[in-house]
Amino acid sequence: KSHQTNQCVCKVLTVDTMNSCVKKVEYAVRGPIVLRAVQIEKELKEGVQKPFSEVIKANIGDAHAMGQQPITFFRQVLAMCSYPELLDDDRFPEDAKGRARRILQGCGGQSIGAYSASQGIECVRQDVARYVERRDGGVPSDPDNIYLTTGASDGIVTMLKLLVAGEGRSRTGVMISIPQYPLYSAALAELGAVQVNYFLNEERCWSLDVSELRRALADARRHCNPRALCIINPGNPTGQVQSRQCIEDVIRFAAKERLFLMADEVYQDNVYAEGCEFHSFKKVLFEMGPEFSSTVELASFHSTSKCYMGECGFRGGYMEVVNMDPEVKAQLTKLVSVRLCPPVPGQALMDLVVNPPQPGEPSYSTFIRERKATLSSLAERARLTEQILNTVPGIACNPVQGAMYSFPRVTLPARAIREAEERGQAPDMFYCMKLLEETGICLVPGSGFGQRDGTFHFRMTILPPTDKLKILLSKVKDFHQRFIQQYS
């Protein structure tokens, strides 16, 4: 053999030699179903005959991809930030120009192409702090406790990095709701932390019960060291909005059990149901008095990606930390500095979200009209989704109180469950894959979010425009009836 063939052609990096934690990461929202949906789209373009003409992706909360329109004011300011020559253009309103100038003055060399401070542009952090104070009825917020982030996801992962420590039984456990948003399970797998599941109560509209938190915590303490409790409110994938009383109970529980609270509040403007209202964890914490507000450690997260903004691609977000040990905070600042800074256009957008046009400013009426139209249309689609799905025998859908998803329960025949198991698939994965192949509708199986054993669900976003949503729901209805007949 020649010298070259003697050298092993093995790669340095193989599936056997790579980081084993990464192999455990799963992210259902962009998992196998979505990969197949993309393939089907290509097949349709190539002229392959299907029983449908387009793929409807209802798998991910990507508002603009689903046709939600951007807010004019936000895009005007971002355009001027990107191309400052537009500041001399008469077509842009004065308040938009003022915002653009202020953001540019906060940037190195007055350009959004410059790095910012690692924690984020100072004037943006000041605006976020003022927004939090207004939102929470005057509870003080310190810009120094605000960290701008690359979407909320980046802030959540950064906090988990600080929390995860120990080996074996002393390994950090993190409590997450089931069903959960797969970012949490993925990040915990990647960090080698212990995932501690607590179940939401589907019978009571996916509510959170402290007795279930106690059960999960007691079980977990046998094999790990639970140190953090994650809450998503309004809920993803379940769309529930927590009552003030529930939040108070959770804070009491966290205080008593000495848990670090992580409040994912990215859907705070998406509240639709009568009698439901968004309460921030921070506001409730401070209303409970110093016994709690001076001791409970809390990180809360918000983003530009959801609500009426829907600006997912800009990757804007922030987190606020409360009662964090000053020495740990120094470590957090160090950790974020390694990434240099979050995207500056995303920071600029975050600034506009927390500092939108005010009454009396030229852009105010258009802004309010657009914001209201988007949110009321989402509220209508939330009601429509629940109503139509509940007319289908074998599908049960809780009210979509907030956020932008429904998580209906589907009853599957025993034969379908057997066939799925023979194929090595979760039954709801089998169901969703079949739905995709027959109708072109892309949903995510409940197994990707976690669910009680023996129950099956799918997550569906309510984002498609109303006319398309009606088509989607009637196709799901027809498919479900066919599926039941086929496997009964």
Side-chain angles (χ1 to χ4, degrees), residues 409-428:
R409 184 162 167 175
V410 283
T411 306
L412 302 179
R415 249 184 74 204
I417 295 171
R418 272 201 308 279
E419 188 171 325
E421 281 160 0
E422 280 159 21
R423 296 182 186 207
Q425 280 183 334
D428 45 19

Side-chain angles (χ1 to χ4, degrees), residues 24-32 34 59-61 153 156-157 160 176-190 195 197 232 235-238 264 267 306 405 407 444-450 459:
K24 294 183 189 135
V25 171
E26 288 182 8
Y27 189 63
V29 179
R30 295 201 172 191
V34 186
N59 62 297
I60 194 164
S153 313
I156 291 163
V157 172
L160 290 172
I176 63 172
S177 60
I178 297 294
Q180 54 107 22
Y181 176 55
L183 163 72
Y184 290 89
S185 51
L188 295 175
E190 187 186 336
Q195 177 178 321
N197 296 340
I232 310 174
N236 173 11
T238 41
D264 177 341
Y267 296 99
K306 308 300 174 184
Y405 314 95
F407 196 69
V444 193
S447 46
F449 299 89
R459 185 187 83 159

